[in-house]
Amino acid sequence: MRLGNFSVSLTVKDLAVSRAFYEKLGFQAIGGDPAQNWLILQNETSTIGLFQGLFDKNLLTFNPGWDRNAQQLADFDDIRELQRTLQARGLTLTSVADESSTGPASLMLIDPDGNPILLDQHVPKPEH
């Protein structure tokens, strides 16, 4: 099961304060929109998202179809395929992707300790 690029999405109280903190740890903003209260930061090995007022809790985030630089992969497991696999394995999804769609979609589930996991695909279904 290829879940895609991994990042941690942090819910923050003050985007500017959090950005300054993580920049002191060597992270640099590579995407996002501060006017919409979110930024994506990276260092040489890690990606984090900072989200002010957009989520209730920190999230583990996977992006099917993306590499570390948010570039589309030629071959990947589509979100709808992943959804069917997760459901077949007995996992309960708290939100689901529309099975009739082929474009970007997402799903969410919660781990046994209450941590939300977001699978968020931003690209169309791959052509096989």
Side-chain angles (χ1 to χ4, degrees), residues 14 19 34 46 48 68 82-83 97 123 125 128:
D14 185 314
R19 178 183 187 167
S46 303
I48 57 174
R68 176 174 153 69
L82 294 168
Q83 178 170 281
V123 296
K125 183 178 182 174
H128 290 274

Side-chain angles (χ1 to χ4, degrees), residues 66-105:
W66 267 7
D67 69 11
R68 176 174 153 69
N69 298 310
Q71 298 299 307
Q72 185 168 344
L73 299 169
D75 184 41
F76 62 94
D77 294 344
D78 181 66
I79 188 81
R80 287 147 285 264
E81 197 176 309
L82 294 168
Q83 178 170 281
R84 287 187 293 274
T85 300
L86 295 171
Q87 290 171 323
R89 291 180 179 177
L91 294 172
T92 301
L93 306 181
T94 57
S95 69
V96 296
D98 179 356
E99 285 283 345
S100 67
S101 68
T102 59

Side-chain angles (χ1 to χ4, degrees), residues 10 18-28 41-44 48:
L10 301 174
S18 294
R19 178 183 187 167
F21 174 83
Y22 284 102
E23 285 176 343
K24 289 176 184 173
L25 291 177
F27 285 85
Q28 294 182 331
L41 291 86
Q42 283 185 336
N43 68 9
E44 62 280 351
I48 57 174

Side-chain angles (χ1 to χ4, degrees), residues 3 11 17-19 34-35 37 40 43 47 55 62 71 74 83-84 88 95 98 100 106 109 115 118-119 121 123:
L3 298 176
T11 182
V17 169
S18 294
R19 178 183 187 167
N37 294 325
I40 306 299
N43 68 9
T47 303
F55 300 120
F62 296 92
Q71 298 299 307
Q83 178 170 281
R84 287 187 293 274
S95 69
D98 179 356
S100 67
S106 64
L109 63 157
N115 300 302
L118 174 66
L119 277 68
Q121 181 174 309
V123 296

